[in-house]
Amino acid sequence: MKTADRVLELLYDRREGFFSLDELAAATGKRRGRVEKALRELAERGHGLEFEPSHGVRLVLPVKLDAVLIEHNLPTRRVGRHAIAFDEVDSTNDTAMDSARHDDADGLVVTAEFQRAGRGRQGRVWLSPPGKNLMFSVLLMDGESLQHEAVTIAAGLAVAEGIEKATDARCELKWPNDVLLDGRKVAGILVEIRSPAFAQGRRCMVIGVGINVNASPPPGEVDSPVTSLFEYIGHDFERLDVLREVLCRLDAHVGEIAAGSFPGLHDAWISRCGMLNCRIEVASGGHVYAGRVLDVSPLEGLVLAVDSGRIVHLPAECSTVLAMPH
Ligand code: BTN
């Protein structure tokens, strides 16, 4: 491992604590001069470093997203085996999909500090100020064994659980996969599947996640009520902590889906869903359905008792909830 990467891990693990240069030299097994060079490299990579003559050096928090820190001791099997962190891309979903051309890309996590053309569901845009929030995508190769419907709701659940673990806040889920705090949207998910020519027939699934961590979207740019962890809880959060918790939960749920096990996913989802028994309107596949929500099925989508008495199953991919009671 490069000295700069190891120094970054050491500084991150100590969080607000300082490291003297001699300590860093001892911990990395390098000379002091090499440690000083590594610190210069980290500064060039955009990491904020604070030097105190009597204490040494520490990272300025919140930390810039860095592949080394995303992968660092991440206890997952599939999701997050590799990571790439960009300053700026069009859309992390596109970058992740394009990475499918490389060998061993399964489980790759792509993050960006800013997206020039972030996409939301149903053709909407996803806006987020630079450096404040989480925007990332996870690439899963050979998505045949992973049902789109199940992954869509699993992703929402993983985000809710990850936020809960990192913050102690309790999230609510709005089908198909909006994550809410006190009725306001804090995170959204866009799952896309393609079989690009370069993937040679392999089906590539990308799970794109946007979480408003330290800033809400610009005012007037979104039509539904939104919030951020900062706004809801009242202080900044370390984005990496939230990201790593979400990746762990996503890894667990992807494992369950691949193994064909859905009961845990269903029950955990439903326990956070405020829509059961509510009357709603949903646009799906060119029709509008009005009725009462009976269930959310990981394989069949929203189960709705429509006003004519029929029961319909609406897939997440082509459905939008139009109206919900307040
Ligand atoms: C929605 O609620 O409409 C879904 C929003 C998904 C946004 C994320 S941000 C990272 C990834 N890249 C994108 O272009 N979109 C998703």
Side-chain angles (χ1 to χ4, degrees), residues 16-74:
E16 278 144 66
F18 282 91
F19 252 105
S20 74
L21 299 201
D22 289 335
E23 245 184 310
L24 282 175
T28 54
K30 305 285 175 185
R31 290 173 194 277
R32 223 182 120 107
R34 185 66 197 86
V35 168
E36 283 167 354
K37 185 163 176 266
L39 290 169
R40 283 195 297 278
E41 281 170 34
L42 291 177
E44 277 160 23
R45 258 156 70 175
H47 289 290
L49 298 171
E50 184 186 344
F51 290 89
E52 270 277 338
S54 51
H55 294 96
V57 60
R58 68 177 176 185
L59 273 181
V60 174
L61 305 178
V63 180
K64 186 180 181 201
L65 297 177
D66 191 298
V68 170
L69 297 180
I70 297 169
E71 291 175 18
H72 177 44
N73 293 336
L74 189 71

Side-chain angles (χ1 to χ4, degrees), residues 1 5 10 16 18 25 45 60 88 105 145 148 171 188 204 222-223 230 250 257 267 274 293 296 321-322 325:
M1 171 177 254
D5 293 346
L10 289 162
E16 278 144 66
F18 282 91
R45 258 156 70 175
V60 174
E88 195 172 319
S145 57
H148 187 282
C171 295
C204 310
V222 275
D223 44 12
F230 173 83
L250 189 59
I257 295 169
D267 295 354
V293 177
V296 171
V321 176
L322 298 175

Side-chain angles (χ1 to χ4, degrees), residues 130-161:
K132 291 283 189 185
N133 293 329
L134 281 170
M135 288 164 279
F136 65 95
S137 302
V138 176
L139 172 68
L140 298 172
M141 299 294 292
D142 292 323
E144 289 81 3
S145 57
L146 300 170
Q147 293 85 351
H148 187 282
E149 198 67 39
V151 172
T152 298
I153 72 157
L157 177 61
V159 171
E161 291 172 331

